[in-house]
Amino acid sequence: MAFDHDTVRRTAHLARIALPQTEIPAVADQLERIMALVEELRAIDTKGVPTMAHPLDLDQPLRPDTVGNHDQREVLMASAPAAEHGLFLVPKVIE
Amino acid sequence: MDWEVVIGLEVHAQLNTATKIFCGCPTAFGAEPNSHTCPVCLAMPGALPVLNAAAVDKAIALGLAIGAELNRHSIFARKNYFYPDLPKGYQISQYELPVVGKGTLTVQLADGVEKVVGVTRAHLEEDAGKSLHEAFIGQSGIDLNRAGTPLLEIVSEPDMRSPAEAVAYLKKLHALVRYLDICDGNMQEGSFRCDANVSLRRPGAAYGTRAEIKNLNSFRFLEKAIEYEIVRQRDILESGGQIVQETRLYDANRDETRSMRSKEEANDYRYFPDPDLLPLVLDESRIERIRDILPELPDAKRTRFMNQYALTAYDAGVLTAGRVLADYYEQVAADVDGKLAANWVMGDLLGALNKAGIEIDDCPASAEKLRLLVQRIADQTISGKIAKEIFEEIFYRGGEVDAIIDGRGLRQITDVAAIAAMGDAIVTANPQQAADFRAGKDKLLGFFVGQVMKASQGKANPDQVNAILLERLQKG
């Protein structure tokens, strides 16, 4: 798979990574090598092999539906860069 | 040549669990902002989600009710996108293997025809928080109380062919989640939300490009938005244009849909299995336990009402549209004629509720009172006309049926001698009309009946009045 510079820019945008123009060739090269490994894995015949969603051979444990958490807003908000009236504040977002 | 509209619906039903889907925070609506949060739903590093058993049980209940395949093995996946009300940067959802697979929902259309609509799948996922844009200059406020509330997303097949069919499907699904008690169905508060995929094609042709319409929080908006979208797409196609696959927002104030964003980029969610969660395995005993406690479902109840109370399909359909109304009706019909009870519940009661703008859940007149009222008509204590007066009284002002009857002397007069005396007096007082009746003006009987009813202040038994007057007048 060819990792052209546009694909690198688009991938960086989707991941919200500010990638300097100068680093794009190097990142393209690294992604190319990662994809080469993926291509190798893809070539393996997995017909009839069940999908493995998790490496542990365990089932999801379930939790009873009872309230266990109480209001800890003060503590939890202490590390927020900006908060007011009990709300987290972020740069304005409007679609 | 005509266009055919193709509609599929995606419904997000907020499951009415006590706690969130992956943590023990309460889901109650209307709390102080961010007071129902914890390290898990705030996405603090290292916090791990643990699945809520009640959310799984409610998904199973829906699956059983629509005759769906229940996947014994399902997987949670991360749906990646960036928005401040989604603190992890991904939503935990299900992608390749949802908990509920293919099922069907049978809907009743206005012309009495039934239509089977396919349900593609239903999967568990978490809700996002809320953004408040108005209160702060240059900033948005984020409330994450709703983040992590369990949702069941129910996806239909593109099986609907008119706005009316889409509304019928949504209403049926809405009734079903309330019967099952898995969702409160409150569309204003957003606990039951609907997106519609709408496209046009020539009949028999392949599906056209679709637009996804969001923000449909009432049955009426769903209908209006699809109607608008049909006209918009038809105009584009007939002028030689092409439909763009996009998300559109329905604006109820302007009654139009408008483009939200192009799906091209926003849609790249890069799903992958969530390594924080193990596969969800449903064992037979869990499924059977839910099957055992399933309530009687709308279709079964409708058929039973038709048989047990001798109701028409239409009446039974109206009365079983909601579980509370159905229970109310059964209480009223407990020991009176089913059809009479149905007329009162569907006519006077639903009429009064509609007029007052209240739901059956908050009905001021109890089913027990209406049962007694209908019984008093059946046992001839009062006439139907007087009963309407008493109904108004108990609905708007309260009071007990028998106390109102006795307190106001509303008992029906069934004494033949008393009615005959009134009849004689009226006939004597109107000799001209009596003569005209005998000369063949049969319609004048109504005049005499009316006069006697008036004289008795509505308390005479109308059937007896009729018979006695007829006898008196013919005897001449």
Side-chain angles (χ1 to χ4, degrees):
Chain A
M1 183 184 168
F3 243 101
D4 60 37
H5 291 187
D6 276 348
T7 310
V8 173
R9 265 192 289 270
R10 182 174 139 72
T11 309
H13 171 71
L14 281 171
R16 298 296 188 275
I17 294 170
L19 193 61
Q21 191 69 26
T22 50
E23 290 182 26
I24 289 178
V27 171
D29 185 50
Q30 286 163 5
L31 288 174
E32 195 75 43
R33 275 183 280 148
I34 292 169
M35 286 312 289
L37 174 68
V38 173
E39 289 304 322
E40 218 172 295
L41 290 171
R42 266 182 163 168
I44 299 165
D45 180 11
T46 56
K47 214 171 284 171
V49 180
T51 314
M52 185 186 72
H54 205 282
L56 298 180
D57 191 17
L58 292 169
D59 302 345
Q60 175 62 35
L62 300 179
R63 175 179 62 76
D65 185 28
T66 44
V67 175
N69 296 340
H70 302 286
D71 186 3
Q72 331 162 52
R73 187 172 77 182
E74 299 265 310
V75 186
L76 293 168
M77 264 192 169
S79 57
E84 212 174 291
H85 306 306
L87 296 163
F88 294 100
L89 293 186
V90 299
K92 191 125 194 151
V93 272
I94 292 253
E95 279 201 354
Chain B
M1 201 180 175
D2 284 344
W3 294 99
E4 180 179 61
V5 62
V6 175
I7 306 160
L9 298 183
E10 290 172 19
V11 172
H12 286 88
Q14 230 175 52
L15 299 176
N16 56 356
T17 53
T19 63
K20 294 186 178 182
I21 185 167
F22 296 120
C23 62
C25 289
T27 52
F29 187 78
E32 278 287 298
N34 292 306
S35 60
H36 291 173
T37 59
C38 75
V40 174
C41 54
L42 290 184
M44 298 283 186
L48 280 176
V50 186
L51 185 57
N52 183 343
V56 175
D57 289 347
K58 286 172 192 281
I60 294 173
L62 187 276
L64 291 172
I66 60 167
E69 302 157 12
L70 290 170
N71 287 321
R72 301 306 193 261
H73 187 97
S74 68
I75 291 168
F76 286 94
R78 292 185 179 183
K79 177 178 179 176
N80 298 281
Y81 67 94
F82 289 101
Y83 204 73
D85 59 22
L86 185 79
K88 292 191 292 292
Y90 58 86
Q91 177 194 29
I92 302 177
S93 181
Q94 296 194 294
Y95 188 56
E96 282 166 323
L97 277 173
V99 62
V100 177
K102 275 186 190 301
T104 57
L105 198 63
T106 304
V107 301
Q108 283 77 33
L109 304 173
D111 50 11
V113 175
E114 292 199 332
K115 174 164 180 147
V116 178
V117 177
V119 173
T120 315
R121 57 185 281 162
H123 62 255
L124 284 165
E125 60 184 27
E126 58 180 343
D127 209 344
K130 279 183 180 164
S131 307
L132 300 136
H133 304 298
E134 276 77 36
F136 308 95
I137 298 157
Q139 291 181 301
S140 293
I142 306 293
D143 175 8
L144 295 171
N145 279 349
R146 200 182 63 180
T149 298
L151 297 176
L152 189 62
E153 180 174 339
I154 304 151
V155 183
S156 86
E157 293 284 318
D159 282 350
M160 288 150 280
R161 295 289 177 271
S162 70
E165 286 185 11
V167 170
Y169 168 85
L170 192 64
K171 281 192 171 166
K172 188 63 180 283
L173 189 58
H174 186 256
L176 189 62
V177 297
R178 304 234 310 165
Y179 263 81
L180 294 169
D181 189 26
I182 63 173
C183 170
D184 70 17
N186 189 326
M187 296 175 83
Q188 282 75 41
E189 284 176 9
S191 11
F192 188 82
R193 317 196 278 267
C194 173
D195 302 336
N197 287 304
V198 180
S199 63
L200 294 185
R201 68 169 175 183
R202 297 295 189 191
Y207 291 139
T209 305
R210 66 172 191 260
E212 182 183 5
I213 314 169
K214 293 204 173 275
N215 199 29
L216 303 169
N217 61 1
S218 80
F219 299 115
R220 213 178 119 256
F221 291 170
L222 171 67
E223 188 167 22
K224 302 210 84 158
I226 296 172
E227 281 168 1
Y228 177 89
E229 197 55 25
I230 291 171
V231 174
R232 186 187 73 88
Q233 294 189 15
R234 192 191 60 205
D235 288 352
I236 293 173
L237 293 167
E238 289 187 350
S239 59
Q242 284 192 327
I243 305 299
V244 182
Q245 182 170 340
E246 62 180 353
T247 304
R248 299 179 70 83
L249 195 70
Y250 178 66
D251 182 336
N253 294 321
R254 297 186 187 181
D255 186 25
E256 63 177 28
T257 68
R258 57 169 185 269
S259 183
M260 248 175 95
R261 57 176 179 234
S262 162
K263 269 221 157 175
E264 199 187 349
E265 191 160 81
N267 209 11
D268 197 342
Y269 293 128
R270 295 151 294 144
Y271 286 94
F272 63 88
D274 190 331
D276 286 346
L277 287 154
L278 294 153
L280 170 62
V281 174
L282 302 185
D283 56 48
E284 299 309 313
S285 65
R286 178 171 286 276
I287 295 170
E288 289 315 310
R289 188 166 52 73
I290 303 300
R291 197 194 301 276
D292 286 346
I293 57 169
L294 277 188
E296 184 182 30
L297 298 174
D299 288 343
K301 208 185 267 291
R302 188 163 145 267
T303 307
R304 179 169 66 78
F305 275 26
M306 288 168 67
N307 295 329
Q308 186 175 341
Y309 302 108
L311 299 180
T312 62
Y314 176 80
D315 289 359
V318 171
L319 292 169
T320 55
R323 194 170 166 181
V324 178
L325 181 66
D327 290 347
Y328 190 105
Y329 168 75
E330 289 212 88
Q331 260 182 280
V332 175
D335 48 19
V336 296
D337 176 58
K339 183 62 190 164
L340 183 64
N343 288 345
W344 273 86
V345 172
M346 291 169 62
D348 298 80
L349 180 78
L350 288 185
L353 287 171
N354 195 26
K355 207 167 132 194
I358 38 185
E359 297 293 322
I360 183 75
D361 308 59
D362 308 313
C363 181
S366 70
E368 176 52 27
K369 283 183 187 176
L370 189 56
R371 183 194 66 77
L372 194 61
L373 184 67
V374 177
Q375 199 180 26
R376 290 291 171 260
I377 306 169
D379 68 16
Q380 308 240 319
T381 305
I382 52 170
S383 67
K385 189 160 174 293
I386 292 287
K388 285 184 191 292
E389 278 178 49
I390 301 173
F391 175 76
E392 297 256 311
E393 185 69 24
I394 56 173
F395 188 88
Y396 291 105
R397 286 170 290 277
E400 297 302 322
V401 175
D402 282 341
I404 296 169
I405 293 174
D406 291 333
R408 300 193 188 175
L410 297 174
R411 254 170 220 285
Q412 184 161 244
I413 301 167
T414 52
D415 177 2
V416 178
I419 297 173
M422 281 190 277
D424 285 341
I426 298 291
V427 172
T428 312
N430 298 282
Q432 186 59 51
Q433 282 87 344
D436 289 350
F437 177 82
R438 287 178 195 119
K441 275 197 167 181
D442 292 352
K443 278 187 183 166
L444 277 169
L445 181 64
F447 161 78
F448 285 103
V449 172
Q451 292 295 311
V452 174
M453 292 306 292
K454 200 170 151 191
S456 73
Q457 291 167 305
K459 291 186 283 183
N461 178 307
D463 291 341
Q464 285 178 306
V465 172
N466 243 304
I468 289 170
L469 277 172
L470 205 56
E471 187 214 351
R472 285 290 191 280
L473 286 164
Q474 280 166 344
K475 217 165 56 183

